[in-house]
Amino acid sequence: MSHDRHSYAEPALVRTTHLALDLDLDFTAKVLSGTATHTLAWSGPGDRLVLDTRDLTVLAVEGAVDGDWEPLEYSLAVPDKELGSALTIRTGQHGQVRVSYRTAPTATGLQWLEPAMTAGGVMPFMFSQSQHIHARSWVPVQDTPSVRFSYSAHVTAPPELMVLMSADNGTESRRIGSYDVVMPEPIPSYLLAIAAGDLVFEPIGARTGVWAEPEMAKRAATEFADIEEMMRVTEAVFGPYRWGRYDILVLPPSFPYGGMENPRMTFATPTVVIGDKSLVNVVAHELAHSWSGNLVTQNSWDDIWLNEGFTAYVEYRIVEAVYGTELAVMETAIKQHATVVKLDPLSAAEQAAELPGLNHRSQYHGTTGLGPLKGCWFLTWLEERFTREIFDPFLRGYFDRFAFQSINSEDFVEHLQEQLLDKHPGVVTDAELAAWLDEPGIPAFAERAVSARFEVVDELRARWLSTGELPEGAKHWTTQEWLRFLDAAPDVLTAEQLQQLDREFDLTGTANGEIARRWYSIVAASTYTPAYEELASFLTRVGRMKLVLPVYKALVRTEDGREFASQVFETARPGYHPITTAAVLKILKR
């Protein structure tokens, strides 16, 4: 196998097959401490185990010999800014190796929240975010998706807090200060997850439910009431759900992502709980990961399109089946529009770097959302060419064949050739396939999703921009229609235009984070200061990167905006996750 350049681990020599954690959560010191015991499978001669770490203090390393533990020699390398430090352990091919350690308060994969930063305002909160390579900041581990392992954990915490992990947690909020969980299915390290806080359970169906702070639990359960139906329609097309339960943990607003597909326990942002189910595609996306990503996993972050591209496609199918074709088409059109907008101004060389062929290994596949969007577009194109009657069984066979395995693009292409192209010759040409797999950008022959409702929105926007006539019926638009209206509007509008929209539709102060993201980006780029107070409030109370980073990018276009952005960031920073903080700092330093 090829080496994963995002990891120091050497899985060709030795792999972790099971991880046993014994951890204590110290909210005062903001550290997690304990032991990580690796059960190992050796592939041949070798005398070392290399684990990934970042800012961990290693206290001891031991190897198991006939039931007893003996100390082992180890060294911690000089840290790399991105990859952390390699922990090299000298072994005699021990079957088990135990590392005693503690994390740093600044661990990039953990966030410790003061009570004031939670919905209840009384108890603290802690949660992890291991993707992409942040698991190494709270567990010494082979931090590469090419290695999968089962795990168990014993966790102690203050008795007033509930501890949950990406494992079998049960459904009782049994606050006893000591918790034992088991994850029997093998997972990659980025799906390791832990959270602790004032959490209660609200059931949805026989195998689904919501964990959240008491103030949020019932609202979230109502918002996510369609989960059981989502699971049913996905299983009907792509095969059984193989993880037992599917629960959702609603985190505080500082969570940096819309959702994180931790198996058995999706972590989700509260910004999707707005009362009208208009943003539940985020949940559909994370559920889809139970097949693409969690079940069949990319071998390295260079092949992220295998996770995210397939998941975006399955998400489309879920939304279509549960909420109708029109909503699914609108969601797809929004994503495709974003892709084209990013690519259009780029030169051929820039486009090749930003969006290479899906088979091309590039750092951009791990740092931009365009690779996954291209992957989803590719799968949609294959479906259109072969029809669902042929394509659906092919995808179901793909999930069955590679279940609980990590693969790369070449593995998928080989499967595609054997199970689809060879069995149905002449449906696609070699040149067409090469345009997706080997050439940059989106192929010219790729058809875009067309929404009749978006065509109306486009006409109304054009009329408003030319005549000032406000769009008729806009007060009854869906979230997706508003996003279309704003996404395709000029980045800079006049104060009069912004005031007109705001007076009629109350966009400033909207509770809808997706609409706020685009509205405040236009506000910032247009230096529309009457909305700055609410803009600052939005950036301060929300830490989801998709929502806040575009606003910061718009602010720093001008010197005054940059100064304002820096002031807002200093206020907001204590509530941001370390991942979000790093991303904002990068924008402010440009």
Side-chain angles (χ1 to χ4, degrees):
M1 60 170 286
S2 59
H3 181 73
D4 182 352
R5 61 189 176 86
H6 307 94
S7 170
Y8 294 114
E10 301 171 327
L13 300 177
V14 57
R15 289 171 173 260
T16 298
T17 59
H18 181 78
L19 178 67
L21 298 172
D22 193 334
L23 305 173
D24 177 71
L25 308 183
D26 186 337
F27 278 80
T28 301
K30 293 182 172 56
V31 300
L32 179 157
S33 61
T35 62
T37 303
H38 295 257
T39 299
L40 303 172
W42 294 85
S43 300
D47 63 350
R48 68 176 183 266
L49 167 67
V50 181
L51 301 177
D52 293 297
T53 75
R54 181 186 289 130
D55 297 331
L56 297 182
T57 299
V58 178
L59 305 174
V61 180
E62 302 163 289
V65 179
D66 298 327
D68 296 323
W69 294 93
E70 65 177 13
L72 299 178
E73 293 184 10
Y74 67 91
S75 61
L76 203 57
V78 175
D80 175 84
K81 182 179 179 180
E82 298 295 330
L83 300 182
S85 302
L87 172 60
T88 302
I89 302 166
R90 294 297 171 183
T91 79
Q93 293 207 347
H94 293 77
Q96 288 186 307
V97 169
R98 182 169 66 194
V99 181
S100 300
Y101 71 100
R102 66 171 176 265
T103 65
T106 54
T108 58
L110 300 176
Q111 185 172 21
W112 304 82
L113 301 177
E114 298 296 333
M117 298 159 66
T118 68
V122 176
M123 299 184 193
F125 205 110
M126 184 277 292
F127 65 88
S128 66
Q129 174 55 42
S130 295
Q131 188 175 332
H132 295 82
I133 56 172
H134 297 286
R136 65 191 66 182
S137 74
W138 65 281
V139 181
V141 68
Q142 291 181 307
D143 200 8
T144 167
S146 65
V147 175
R148 302 177 68 108
F149 51 85
S150 56
Y151 80 87
S152 58
H154 174 73
V155 184
T156 56
E160 67 272 17
L161 301 179
M162 183 69 200
V163 174
L164 301 170
M165 295 191 72
S166 53
D168 185 3
N169 297 282
T171 60
E172 295 181 12
S173 182
R174 56 196 191 288
R175 306 190 186 195
I176 55 177
S178 179
Y179 305 89
D180 292 281
V181 301
V182 175
M183 167 52 78
E185 291 85 15
I187 64 168
S189 57
Y190 74 89
L191 295 178
L192 277 172
I194 188 171
D198 182 14
L199 296 167
V200 297
F201 180 76
E202 191 71 28
I204 294 176
R207 54 178 175 171
T208 57
V210 168
W211 288 91
E213 292 184 75
E215 296 78 6
M216 173 66 75
K218 289 190 181 297
R219 283 197 296 131
T222 300
E223 195 85 4
F224 304 147
D226 297 327
I227 292 176
E228 284 283 349
E229 177 64 8
M230 289 182 182
M231 294 181 73
R232 187 190 68 77
V233 299
T234 312
E235 288 181 309
V237 179
F238 301 115
Y241 178 79
R242 311 187 197 206
W243 302 93
R245 291 194 58 81
Y246 182 77
D247 294 321
I248 298 175
L249 169 62
V250 181
L251 293 171
S254 60
F255 183 54
Y257 298 106
M260 179 60 211
E261 64 270 19
N262 304 313
R264 296 176 180 253
M265 181 68 67
T266 280
F267 284 16
T269 172
T271 62
V272 302
V273 183
I274 59 176
D276 63 2
K277 297 184 180 180
S278 64
L279 300 179
V280 293
N281 64 297
V282 170
V283 175
H285 184 90
E286 304 313 327
L287 173 63
H289 268 301
S290 300
W291 285 261
S292 53
N294 297 5
L295 186 64
V296 182
T297 306
Q298 64 195 18
N299 205 47
S300 82
W301 294 105
D302 288 319
D303 288 311
I304 191 172
W305 81 272
L306 289 175
N307 275 23
E308 297 297 339
F310 275 75
T311 296
Y313 175 79
V314 175
E315 172 199 341
Y316 171 86
R317 298 292 299 275
I318 294 172
V319 171
E320 179 192 62
V322 178
Y323 301 104
T325 301
E326 185 60 40
L327 180 60
V329 169
M330 286 194 290
E331 286 286 345
T332 300
I334 288 170
K335 294 172 184 176
Q336 291 180 354
H337 174 78
T339 304
V340 173
V341 165
K342 289 180 181 179
L343 291 178
D344 276 351
L346 301 182
S347 67
E350 290 171 328
Q351 194 168 125
E354 186 71 21
L355 188 57
L358 295 173
N359 259 345
H360 181 68
R361 297 198 173 274
S362 165
Q363 63 176 326
Y364 290 92
H365 279 183
T367 59
T368 175
L370 294 186
L373 285 169
K374 181 175 182 176
C376 178
W377 209 328
F378 171 50
L379 295 174
T380 303
W381 175 79
L382 286 174
E383 177 216 300
E384 291 170 348
R385 284 298 184 90
F386 287 93
T387 76
R388 289 185 179 179
E389 184 179 3
I390 294 172
F391 191 64
D392 286 358
F394 162 74
L395 271 191
R396 182 166 182 154
Y398 166 78
F399 292 130
D400 287 340
R401 176 178 179 179
F402 296 111
F404 300 109
Q405 298 180 50
S406 298
I407 67 171
N408 57 30
S409 295
E410 289 77 10
D411 296 322
F412 167 73
V413 172
E414 182 179 336
H415 180 76
L416 175 71
Q417 189 70 48
E418 292 176 354
Q419 300 301 319
L420 191 63
L421 304 183
D422 289 348
K423 292 182 178 181
H424 304 277
V427 178
V428 303
T429 67
D430 291 343
E432 287 173 327
L433 194 63
W436 290 104
L437 298 176
D438 303 319
E439 297 173 13
I442 301 297
F445 55 79
E447 295 185 5
R448 296 194 195 183
V450 177
S451 164
R453 288 165 70 171
F454 278 2
E455 290 179 341
V456 173
V457 171
D458 291 342
E459 291 174 4
L460 293 173
R461 184 198 319 100
R463 185 184 306 166
W464 172 67
L465 289 171
S466 62
T467 69
E469 180 183 344
L470 287 168
E472 183 179 352
K475 288 185 177 181
H476 305 292
W477 277 354
T478 63
T479 295
Q480 289 72 25
E481 286 167 302
W482 267 112
L483 290 178
R484 176 70 175 196
F485 181 85
L486 295 172
D487 281 346
D491 287 340
V492 178
L493 296 172
T494 67
E496 291 75 16
Q497 289 172 318
L498 290 164
Q499 187 180 46
Q500 184 189 25
L501 286 177
D502 212 7
R503 185 172 54 241
E504 184 69 17
F505 303 116
D506 296 321
L507 296 175
T508 299
T510 175
N512 188 312
E514 290 287 349
I515 294 175
R517 164 185 62 85
R518 181 54 179 155
W519 172 248
Y520 289 132
S521 295
I522 296 174
V523 162
S526 307
T527 321
Y528 183 62
T529 55
Y532 270 27
E533 183 177 348
E534 283 294 337
L535 181 156
S537 176
F538 173 73
L539 293 180
T540 303
R541 70 176 182 270
V542 174
R544 183 180 171 190
M545 291 194 293
K546 178 187 178 183
L547 304 185
V548 302
L549 297 188
V551 182
Y552 278 109
K553 290 177 181 177
L555 282 171
V556 300
R557 291 183 180 185
T558 66
E559 284 303 316
D560 288 346
R562 181 185 301 274
E563 182 178 350
F564 181 72
S566 298
Q567 294 171 357
V568 173
F569 175 62
E570 287 308 309
T571 301
R573 183 172 185 167
Y576 283 171
H577 189 280
I579 296 173
T580 307
T581 295
V584 175
L585 284 172
K586 189 174 182 179
I587 293 170
L588 295 178
K589 291 178 180 177
R590 285 177 184 169

